[in-house]
Amino acid sequence: MSVNKQEVRDIVEAVGGKENIAAATHCVTRLRFALKDESKVDKEKLDQIDMVKGSFSTNGQFQVVIGQGLVDKVYKEMAEQTGMGESSKEDVKEAASGKLNPLQRAVKMLADIFIPILPAIVTAGLLMGINNILSGKDIFFDGQSLIQVYPQWADLSSIINLIANTAFTFLPALIGWSAVKRFGGSPLLGIVLGLILVHPDLLNAWSYGEAQAKGEVPVWNLFGLEVEKIGYQGQVLPVLFASYLLAKVELFLNKRIPDSIKLLVVAPITLLVTGFAAFILIGPVTFAAGNAITDGVIAIFDNFAALGGLLYGGFYSLLVVTGMHHTFLAVDLQLVASAGGTFLWPMLALSNIAQGSAAFAMMRIVKDEKQKGLALTSGISAYLGITEPAMFGVNLRYRYPFIAAMIGSAIAGIFITINHVKAFSIGVGGIPGFLSIQSEYWTSFFIGMAISIVVPFVLTYVFAKFNWKKK
């Protein structure tokens, strides 16, 4: 696929010229700019460029949606034309971070930690879905699973389950790697820290409640101080806070220890200090805090299920616009570990489908051929879990499709929450999302999926009768 060099020049001009670009990089589908002054962006000119499928500003970055496969070529051409050189994602984030308020910085920090580990989590969710099909009862046979009827498939299912569960079993190691890297420490020490917190010599976190009830929680006796000998499988907060401490201790020591003995001193002291702090203070406090948060979220949805579904299902897409949706990934992971499944993630999947349905409706409504093509491709993308092209390229541009999607997602959210639909993992947030839903909730989830497909599509048509003539 060749790159139209004139269109690349037009993109640079539309964002205020190369003198307005502090740094630039790209992800899978978008150009990411840290601009000196976003008021200089000519959105109207940008929208008229054929290769541009939408644009938006979030977390201090101005992002231009190009599309998978083409965006890297556009970026290289832009770097060559402007002579500004290629920047890393970290360079752009650093250039953009100065514009953020404290809340935005906190959201950005969580996004920086959790986004890199998402591929592993989503892959695990998909594989667990395959295993769920093989081992779930009443899917193909009444009262029996596929592997019960065909036991020759049992070992295959067991291996798939082992591979799928690994990312969740060693989740603290994944978070430790990403968090320590984000905080400026050695990612390798972050992995070791995470593995320390789930060492097989520790009481498994999932067995803690039962052991506590029986009074059989093992302890270390540190000169009279009793420390519970428990692991933190599936926990998020303990490894996050411990990773921050590890990075700060490592940076402190690196500045003060001579290079000749760093290898012998820095890593051992860093792990010892962080490890003791994690088991004595950080772990117990954050473990209790995480459980309290989980219990609070569960209590809200248990007592006000319809309201919770209405608000989270309806407004999730607004969280995506602001970038705050990343904060709920930690809550989802905590719910999966502590509550046996998350009731929040299924609404995410339906919200993505709703945005895709509204985009498909716009494909039938708009007259411009470029917009028709954009609506088609972005709708398919949203159905497969990537909503930015549909949201920013189509639905937000015309507003009422976005509102129609929010309404459809809210209705679907109410329905699945009052039916207590849960996902056993995080997966692909679209049509394939059913693979991550516990099989006993499939019927309710498929009805919610139908609502997310039909309601936004119909409402977009209805709203168009009142809005389209004004366009």
Side-chain angles (χ1 to χ4, degrees):
M1 187 182 296
S2 60
V3 176
N4 187 315
K5 296 185 178 182
Q6 182 57 50
E7 288 192 356
V8 175
R9 294 190 191 95
D10 292 340
I11 291 173
V12 174
E13 291 177 8
V15 298
K18 67 178 182 180
E19 62 277 359
N20 193 41
I21 302 173
T25 186
H26 70 91
C27 60
V28 177
T29 59
R30 289 158 280 157
L31 295 172
R32 295 169 173 245
F33 295 96
L35 300 178
K36 297 175 183 177
D37 184 359
E38 286 193 10
S39 66
K40 293 183 179 180
V41 174
D42 188 341
K43 285 271 291 180
E44 186 175 341
K45 180 176 181 178
L46 200 58
D47 290 341
Q48 292 174 352
I49 301 172
D50 285 341
M51 71 171 63
V52 173
K53 296 178 174 59
S55 61
F56 59 98
S57 179
T58 182
N59 291 331
Q61 297 181 29
F62 188 80
Q63 304 190 23
V64 180
V65 183
I66 301 296
Q68 189 172 354
L70 180 60
V71 66
D72 57 336
K73 298 177 182 178
V74 171
Y75 176 71
K76 289 178 181 178
E77 176 63 27
M78 182 179 68
E80 184 177 328
Q81 288 185 11
T82 59
M84 63 183 181
E86 298 187 11
S87 304
S88 68
K89 291 181 181 179
E90 286 70 26
D91 294 333
V92 175
K93 290 176 181 177
E94 185 66 27
S97 62
K99 303 177 182 180
L100 305 180
N101 60 43
L103 176 60
Q104 289 174 320
R105 288 175 185 267
V107 172
K108 176 180 175 296
M109 178 193 71
L110 289 174
D112 291 344
I113 292 171
F114 285 105
I115 288 177
I117 67 173
L118 264 181
I121 301 298
V122 171
T123 298
L126 285 173
L127 293 176
M128 289 174 73
I130 295 173
N131 181 68
N132 184 42
I133 292 174
L134 295 173
S135 60
K137 294 182 179 180
D138 298 313
I139 297 177
F140 299 103
F141 306 97
D142 290 338
Q144 290 184 298
S145 66
L146 187 67
I147 59 175
Q148 286 177 319
V149 177
Y150 300 104
Q152 63 267 31
W153 289 83
D155 287 343
L156 175 66
S157 175
S158 177
I159 294 175
I160 292 173
N161 188 50
L162 183 145
I163 296 171
N165 277 328
T166 297
F168 288 100
T169 301
F170 298 102
L171 179 64
L174 297 179
I175 296 176
W177 163 76
S178 187
V180 171
K181 182 180 179 182
R182 169 61 178 78
F183 296 133
S186 169
L188 180 60
L189 292 185
I191 294 173
V192 176
L193 172 64
L195 293 175
I196 289 171
L197 295 178
V198 293
H199 195 284
D201 282 354
L202 302 171
L203 173 68
N204 193 297
W206 291 302
S207 303
Y208 178 73
E210 182 181 350
Q212 188 180 44
K214 295 179 179 179
E216 298 176 353
V217 177
V219 297
W220 286 297
N221 192 310
L222 302 178
F223 309 105
L225 175 66
E226 287 193 346
V227 178
E228 291 185 330
K229 190 179 177 181
I230 63 171
Y232 296 97
Q233 287 84 357
Q235 298 294 309
V236 174
L237 293 182
V239 70
L240 274 180
F241 282 84
S243 295
Y244 178 81
L245 175 62
L246 183 145
K248 296 307 175 185
V249 171
E250 183 188 7
L251 291 172
F252 176 85
L253 293 175
N254 270 325
K255 291 179 181 178
R256 290 162 176 81
I257 302 297
D259 290 343
S260 58
I261 59 172
K262 275 186 178 180
L263 183 62
L264 298 175
V265 175
V266 174
I269 293 178
T270 298
L271 284 175
L272 281 173
V273 170
T274 308
F276 274 95
F279 287 116
I280 294 172
L281 180 63
I282 296 175
V285 172
T286 55
F287 184 68
N291 287 334
I293 292 171
T294 301
D295 291 342
V297 173
I298 292 173
I300 291 172
F301 277 83
D302 279 347
N303 293 290
F304 309 100
L307 179 61
L310 171 68
L311 295 177
Y312 195 77
F315 290 100
Y316 179 80
S317 52
L318 286 180
L319 294 176
V320 176
V321 173
T322 62
M324 291 187 67
H325 61 300
H326 297 301
T327 61
F328 288 91
L329 178 57
V331 180
D332 277 316
L333 292 173
Q334 188 73 29
L335 286 170
V336 168
S338 303
T342 171
F343 41 79
L344 296 179
W345 188 85
M347 287 184 275
L348 174 157
L350 297 186
S351 177
N352 289 355
I353 293 171
Q355 292 292 333
S357 298
F360 281 134
M362 291 305 296
M363 180 186 69
R364 302 293 301 273
I365 294 170
V366 295
K367 306 300 182 184
D368 182 80
E369 288 302 318
K370 177 189 174 183
Q371 286 299 303
K372 280 183 177 292
L374 175 57
L376 173 62
T377 56
S378 63
I380 295 173
S381 176
Y383 272 16
L384 296 177
I386 306 297
T387 57
E388 286 90 347
M391 288 176 59
F392 298 104
V394 180
N395 298 342
L396 279 171
R397 177 178 296 182
Y398 297 103
R399 294 185 181 86
Y400 62 87
F402 187 78
I403 295 171
M406 288 178 63
I407 294 172
S409 179
I411 296 171
I414 292 172
F415 180 82
I416 66 171
T417 50
I418 63 177
N419 284 283
H420 311 291
V421 172
K422 283 186 179 181
F424 53 74
S425 68
I426 294 166
V428 177
I431 297 292
F434 78 93
L435 291 171
S436 297
I437 304 298
Q438 296 174 8
S439 57
E440 61 264 36
Y441 302 120
W442 274 8
T443 300
S444 296
F445 184 74
F446 284 135
I447 293 173
M449 189 183 292
I451 294 171
S452 292
I453 292 172
V454 174
V455 173
F457 193 91
V458 172
L459 282 181
T460 301
Y461 262 101
V462 172
F463 291 160
K465 291 184 178 296
F466 297 97
N467 289 273
W468 191 251
K469 292 179 180 179
K470 302 176 183 178
K471 301 297 178 185

